[in-house]
Amino acid sequence: MFNAIVINKDEQGYRAGLTAVDEQQLPAGDVTVKVLASTLNYKDALAISGKSPVVRTFPMVPGIDLVGEVLHSDSVRFQSGDKVLLNGFGVGENHWGGLAEKARLNSAWLLPLPAAFTPEQAMAIGTAGYTAMLSILALQKHGITAEHGEILVTGANGGVGSYAVRLLSKLGYTVVACTGRPNESDYLKQLGAAEILPREQLSAAGKPLQKERWAGVIDCVGSHTLANACASTRYGGAVAACGLAQGMDFPVTVAPFILRGVTLYGIDSVMRPLADRSKAWQHLSELLQPADVDQIASVISLEQVVATATRLLQGDIRGRVIVKI
Ligand code: NDP
């Protein structure tokens, strides 16, 4: 038996809780791991609360991220004792995930744990940090350098936002952090934000074209915020859209794209090929020091996951949460 957060949906309703599970119930896969650490992402909180249809088969163990130690492997890529990293690939959505003491996974989803990080540090970064890095790599590929001007990060106090601010600032960019929590301005400035923009300035419907300001944007919230960000991006600039915390809608016109040549990049971390993941984690290994990670993350236990998921959806959690298993 092992302990796991299990989500059920039946005649008693939708519910999640810490439960002892028989190992025989683990799903198919060629690598079985002892989970060393996991984390709580926005998507995990949606899955646990049932507020959004993230999970479609039940029972389900949530947790889109994990670091594990291999107990058994039928894959030539991994041997028992190896430490492996998993982000996404539908794990925690349609395959049992990381908020558990054990997991059985497909080796094609796994990367070796980067040597620069402990299991907890890798989970402090998790899908959030990896997605922030993918977003930055998209802006860099577009040719945006620090000299081009200000980069806007929306949802800045969240996991993706916090890492976007820290990483951009480490790379020498001037970062403007947009947040609904001005009381966390000192935290954002410590991460490297040059200026704090109140959320209200971007979250309501705005004009199709606005004063050109941003060389680039990393948007974690979607909806009017993303539309306004596109409308105020400078000629030839780029916007990386990775989140939907405000909403999935996108009430924009074509004006920024056809009159200012703005490019919108969609960032998906879930099904990203292993080569892109390795590249992103290599950059994270080079850029982040333990102090950066400590600044952004707090630690909880498996017992605290369900309550913390509620707080996360209320926008009450700053940065990232490591789940120490
Ligand atoms: P968090 O909950 O940690 O952060 C979300 C942040 O968005 C909050 O901290 C808050 O920032 C802001 N926010 C919340 N509600 C609203 C609102 N109604 N209007 C405007 N801003 C709001 O989540 P993550 O950082 O883990 O994820 C951020 C988004 O990115 C989520 O939508 C998530 O689903 C998505 N995501 C997508 C990935 C991909 O592959 N594309 C991968 C990972 C995440 P503040 O308090 O500073 O305003």
Side-chain angles (χ1 to χ4, degrees):
M1 302 294 283
F2 66 95
N3 289 317
I5 302 292
V6 178
I7 303 172
N8 274 296
K9 188 185 178 190
D10 52 27
E11 57 285 352
Q12 290 170 50
Y14 193 104
R15 60 201 188 282
L18 187 61
T19 313
V21 182
D22 192 331
E23 224 178 292
Q24 306 278 338
Q25 284 182 263
L26 279 169
D30 56 352
V31 176
T32 305
V33 301
K34 173 181 162 190
V35 181
L36 301 175
S38 184
T39 172
L40 204 56
N41 291 280
Y42 191 82
K43 194 186 264 177
D44 301 319
L46 287 176
I48 288 166
S49 70
K51 279 201 172 152
S52 192
V54 171
V55 177
R56 293 174 195 274
T57 56
F58 302 91
M60 179 56 60
V61 174
I64 66 169
D65 283 325
L66 68 83
V67 170
E69 183 179 324
V70 175
L71 297 172
H72 177 83
S73 172
D74 290 325
S75 158
V76 288
R77 286 183 62 222
F78 301 104
Q79 294 179 350
S80 74
D82 287 352
K83 293 202 174 66
V84 292
L85 168 69
L86 174 120
N87 308 115
F89 277 121
V91 173
E93 298 179 63
N94 48 43
H95 183 102
W96 284 16
L99 289 168
E101 289 169 342
K102 278 191 184 172
R104 187 167 294 140
L105 303 157
N106 184 338
S107 56
W109 301 332
L110 302 174
L111 285 177
L113 175 68
F117 302 123
T118 65
E120 286 78 17
Q121 287 164 349
M123 286 296 95
I125 299 165
T127 286
Y130 148 61
T131 302
M133 196 68 239
L134 290 174
S135 304
I136 292 169
L137 289 171
L139 297 185
Q140 288 183 325
K141 199 170 170 195
H142 191 79
I144 299 170
T145 63
E147 289 66 42
H148 282 84
E150 294 170 312
I151 310 290
L152 170 69
V153 175
T154 65
N157 270 299
V160 180
S162 292
Y163 275 104
V165 172
R166 189 74 198 111
L167 291 162
L168 284 165
S169 124
K170 286 212 147 190
L171 287 162
Y173 289 92
T174 304
V175 187
V176 176
C178 177
T179 181
R181 282 183 274 179
N183 56 316
E184 296 289 2
S185 296
D186 285 349
Y187 163 76
L188 291 170
K189 287 198 168 149
Q190 277 165 23
L191 292 183
E195 190 184 323
I196 311 299
L197 199 68
R199 185 192 284 176
E200 308 77 67
Q201 290 197 16
L202 288 173
S203 60
K207 290 185 183 160
L209 278 181
Q210 300 166 25
K211 189 166 178 277
E212 291 179 59
R213 179 159 184 193
W214 319 115
V217 177
I218 296 181
D219 177 64
C220 303
V221 306
S223 191
H224 288 297
T225 302
L226 176 57
N228 287 324
C230 291
S232 50
T233 296
R234 284 161 56 172
Y235 191 92
V239 177
C242 64
L244 44 61
Q246 184 183 358
M248 209 191 243
D249 57 322
F250 183 33
V252 75
T253 73
V254 295
F257 311 108
I258 64 171
L259 299 177
R260 290 189 182 154
V262 169
T263 302
L264 180 61
Y265 290 99
I267 306 298
D268 170 59
S269 66
V270 180
M271 299 312 292
R272 206 67 180 222
L274 279 187
D276 289 2
R277 291 163 187 262
S278 288
K279 187 176 170 194
W281 278 98
Q282 182 59 39
H283 282 281
L284 289 164
S285 301
E286 288 161 12
L287 286 168
L288 292 173
Q289 307 299 320
D292 299 314
V293 173
D294 292 346
Q295 200 178 5
I296 294 174
S298 53
V299 185
I300 63 166
S301 66
L302 215 44
E303 287 81 4
Q304 294 168 289
V305 161
V306 175
T308 310
T310 307
R311 288 184 52 216
L312 192 142
L313 290 182
Q314 288 164 349
D316 197 23
I317 302 281
R318 188 184 80 182
R320 297 274 297 153
V321 176
I322 304 166
V323 182
K324 203 166 174 161
I325 310 283

